[in-house]
Amino acid sequence: MSIDSRESFYKDKIRHIRVANTGGHRAPHKPLLMLLVLGQYLKGKRLIRFADICEPLTLMLREFGPYRRNYYPNFPFIKLHNDGLWKISGDVAVDTLNRGGYSKNFLIDNHFTGRFEPGFERYLLEDRNHLLDIARFILETNFPATIHQDILQIAQIDLNDTAERTVDSRQKGRDPHFREDVLIAYNYTCAVCGFELRLGRNPVGLEAAHIRWHSAGGEDAISNGMALCSLHHKLFDLGVFTLTDQYEIALSDMINGNVGIIERFRSHQITLPSRDYPAIGNIRWHRREVFKGSI
Ligand SMILES: [Zn+2]
């Protein structure tokens, strides 16, 4: 098969992934598993242990799946096998069509692992862009654009990371704890406006922003992060506002329209984190490279 026909072959398979007994409900379990695994492939891993992926997959299901009293990461891990994209194996044989399924502990105790089906794996690995393109496709066919970045952050996928990298920098990758560390340091509150909302246990509408962008060499460190609500994150990344060396909010003089949403915070100091204040070097980078104005 040519590259083009393989691309449509696999996208077709992904589009038709079977979801059992959902009665019209959204079932993003398999897509979320695939995104997590793609993130692992980007880091050079191939054989994915269920024991390793159980926790992040549960987190993904809780944050991005429909509300459930309990979450079962074991189901997609086993059932994806039946879609021809994924192979699992463990100490004992299982019937992947078994309706009752197998418990989390069963999969852990019997050392179950999974990896993409050989042909699919070959396609993903022969060109980094294939892998990123498949990740983008899974996102776009299953989730609204507003939560793409949140999902990618947990899956540790940077869709813009297409350039050829040395093995060293690729292995360095993203720090999976960045988001959580930043949100904790800022007490789950937007540093600009104080927005803080949870849905059950999960913070919503709150993001860990990079001050110096990752694509520009910014670190996954609290001193390069800020907890911002979705709106202020967007305004910050677009250069509507920046910070002074005293952590005060400076506004672009280009803004017009209903500016109250940000104007009210002009010259206010942001709410500083419990540790690791934003590094001045990172703030100055943002001021120089992103901010639409001068101070
Ligand atoms: Zn805010």
Side-chain angles (χ1 to χ4, degrees):
M1 275 194 287
S2 70
I3 295 243
D4 278 356
S5 65
R6 278 192 298 157
E7 179 186 336
S8 53
F9 175 77
Y10 289 121
K11 285 185 176 174
D12 213 47
K13 269 190 181 298
I14 291 166
R15 203 180 284 114
H16 293 105
I17 280 175
R18 273 163 294 185
V19 288
N21 300 325
T22 54
H25 295 298
R26 194 163 66 84
H29 307 69
K30 289 175 180 175
L32 288 173
L33 169 64
M34 290 185 74
L35 287 167
L36 264 183
V37 173
L38 288 170
Q40 296 296 303
Y41 268 57
L42 281 171
K43 292 202 296 183
K45 289 203 182 149
R46 302 294 173 258
L47 202 57
I48 312 297
R49 281 157 27 107
F50 178 74
D52 293 336
I53 211 163
C54 181
E55 195 185 310
L57 183 55
T58 305
L59 175 74
M60 295 270 261
L61 292 172
R62 190 181 292 137
E63 287 216 24
F64 309 117
Y67 174 71
R68 294 283 182 272
R69 206 164 291 279
N70 293 299
Y71 296 90
Y72 299 100
N74 38 319
F75 281 119
F77 193 87
I78 296 169
K79 298 293 182 183
L80 185 60
H81 186 101
N82 302 327
D83 295 287
L85 293 164
W86 175 247
K87 298 269 180 218
I88 57 167
S89 62
D91 295 346
V92 293
V94 291
D95 174 7
T96 57
L97 293 168
N98 180 326
R99 282 174 61 94
Y102 301 88
S103 72
K104 277 191 278 196
N105 287 339
F106 177 89
L107 296 184
I108 293 170
D109 293 346
N110 290 294
H111 310 102
F112 269 80
T113 56
R115 70 189 293 168
F116 286 127
E117 175 276 327
F120 184 42
E121 182 175 285
R122 220 166 18 250
Y123 173 74
L124 292 172
L125 295 180
E126 69 192 21
D127 185 338
R128 190 177 183 77
N129 288 314
H130 291 178
L131 200 154
L132 295 172
D133 180 53
I134 289 289
R136 193 179 294 108
F137 179 74
I138 294 172
L139 267 184
E140 287 172 356
T141 47
N142 290 279
F143 305 97
T146 45
I147 61 170
H148 285 184
Q149 281 312 316
D150 292 343
I151 295 174
L152 290 170
Q153 216 165 37
I154 294 183
Q156 301 176 55
I157 297 171
D158 181 355
L159 288 182
N160 299 317
D161 193 14
T162 51
E164 286 301 318
R165 301 292 178 91
T166 64
V167 172
D168 278 355
S169 72
R170 194 181 304 158
Q171 281 174 342
K172 196 168 150 234
R174 311 290 298 253
D175 180 350
H177 304 296
F178 173 72
R179 178 172 183 270
E180 200 61 22
D181 289 349
V182 169
L183 296 187
I184 289 170
Y186 284 80
N187 198 23
Y188 293 92
T189 301
C190 174
V192 170
C193 69
F195 176 87
E196 188 252 330
L197 186 72
R198 290 172 196 237
L199 193 55
R201 289 166 26 189
N202 302 317
V204 287
L206 196 68
E207 298 163 4
H210 282 93
I211 298 172
R212 182 182 183 127
W213 295 353
H214 196 264
S215 55
E219 280 185 306
D220 285 335
I222 295 174
S223 59
N224 189 37
M226 220 181 350
L228 291 174
C229 69
S230 305
L231 175 63
H232 288 131
H233 187 181
K234 185 138 219 173
L235 300 185
F236 186 63
D237 281 353
L238 290 171
V240 168
F241 73 94
T242 191
L243 301 180
T244 67
D245 285 358
Q246 290 73 42
Y247 307 113
E248 291 160 351
I249 293 162
L251 300 183
S252 165
D253 52 16
M254 290 166 63
I255 56 169
N256 57 79
N258 183 357
V259 296
I261 202 79
I262 185 70
E263 184 70 50
R264 79 183 71 155
F265 303 109
R266 182 193 285 272
S267 303
H268 284 205
Q269 194 179 60
I270 59 163
T271 306
L272 289 162
S274 55
R275 64 188 181 102
D276 301 353
Y277 286 10
I280 298 301
N282 294 331
I283 292 177
R284 288 182 179 166
W285 178 89
H286 183 271
R287 225 147 63 201
R288 195 174 64 238
E289 303 292 336
V290 181
F291 182 54
K292 302 288 196 304
S294 57
I295 56 173

